[in-house]
Amino acid sequence: MNDTFGQGADVFEPDPERPLFDKEFEDFLRKHKDNFYRTAVARLVDPYDADEALGDACLVMYQRWEKIQSHPQPVYLALRILRHKITDFHRARARRADREETVAHPPELRILQEMGEQHPLSQALEKLRKVSPQQADCWEMKKVLGREYSEIAEELDITIGAAKTAASRGQAKLRLLLALDSEKKDDS
């Protein structure tokens, strides 16, 4: 390691005392990466945006790896970090919306078609997320991501019965919200 003019470690060389990657973190990420990616895509729709948000979240997860490891529900804590990064991504997008130009790689046609088909559902899900975030999360994990209730309960740190109830109530509220939205469109 070079100490350039007594200013500390050279930023281009890794610190020899600390390994470049923690093997346990690498195994954890490899095991749960698909789950994290599906969650990001479900919230952001565009896979490029989901990949960017997941990359930012993984960096924070690595920085807080010791805290995640010691947590009784490490996947739950990692998902919370991912959700916060997705929120940060939405905020950053809103801040730069007036300065944005066209992207170098437009989204695939399939993604745009899916967005058009899911638009009312996405709006209803966001409304439900504001009123009852747990119901929205449980419904999304069960119906969109195809998870089992036991997985949902473990990730959200709730009981299996609570996960079933929240998903069912979320489904009922989404139906109501979609019906109200379609009535508003019919009245106009």
Side-chain angles (χ1 to χ4, degrees):
M1 179 172 358
N2 298 336
D3 187 8
T4 313
F5 304 108
Q7 297 178 358
D10 187 358
V11 294
F12 297 108
E13 293 182 21
D15 189 3
E17 293 88 38
R18 183 174 180 198
L20 191 56
F21 292 108
D22 186 345
K23 180 69 174 147
E24 291 178 16
F25 176 74
E26 206 173 316
D27 293 340
F28 174 80
L29 192 59
R30 192 171 280 122
K31 181 178 179 183
H32 300 288
K33 185 180 148 208
D34 291 338
N35 176 14
F36 296 153
Y37 184 71
R38 285 193 311 260
T39 301
V41 168
R43 296 265 176 100
L44 293 170
V45 179
D46 186 3
Y48 297 111
D49 293 346
D51 192 44
E52 185 176 336
L54 180 58
D56 292 345
C58 287
L59 179 62
V60 173
M61 287 178 209
Y62 184 69
Q63 291 168 343
R64 298 183 181 159
W65 177 237
E66 290 176 11
K67 185 175 182 179
I68 291 172
Q69 263 183 318
S70 63
H71 194 272
Q73 299 284 335
V75 176
Y76 171 74
L77 190 56
L79 279 170
R80 278 189 53 202
I81 290 170
L82 176 61
R83 287 188 188 107
H84 287 295
K85 281 299 170 184
I86 290 170
T87 301
D88 290 348
F89 188 86
H90 282 299
R91 288 179 182 153
R93 180 185 286 165
R95 279 194 304 271
R96 66 176 184 259
D98 58 337
R99 301 185 310 255
E100 266 187 355
E101 296 180 18
T102 57
V103 293
H105 49 79
E108 299 172 14
L109 180 60
R110 173 187 58 80
I111 294 167
L112 292 174
Q113 289 171 338
E114 288 175 6
M115 285 173 61
E117 293 169 3
Q118 293 181 342
H119 186 64
L121 178 59
S122 296
Q123 287 179 338
L125 187 59
E126 286 308 311
K127 287 177 186 175
L128 179 61
R129 198 175 306 285
K130 289 176 185 173
V131 176
S132 179
Q134 186 176 27
Q135 289 178 3
D137 286 342
C138 288
W139 181 86
E140 183 180 40
M141 289 174 150
K142 180 63 180 168
K143 299 295 182 180
V144 178
L145 301 175
R147 302 234 181 86
E148 296 296 322
Y149 288 116
S150 58
E151 293 174 316
I152 295 169
E154 182 180 326
E155 289 177 21
L156 296 179
D157 198 22
I158 58 177
T159 64
I160 295 173
K164 288 179 180 179
T165 302
S168 176
R169 288 183 179 170
Q171 174 100 15
K173 285 183 182 175
L174 281 173
R175 282 187 183 144
L176 180 64
L177 289 169
L178 288 170
L180 290 173
D181 285 345
S182 67
E183 286 178 13
K184 286 180 184 177
K185 288 180 184 176
D186 291 342
D187 290 342
S188 346

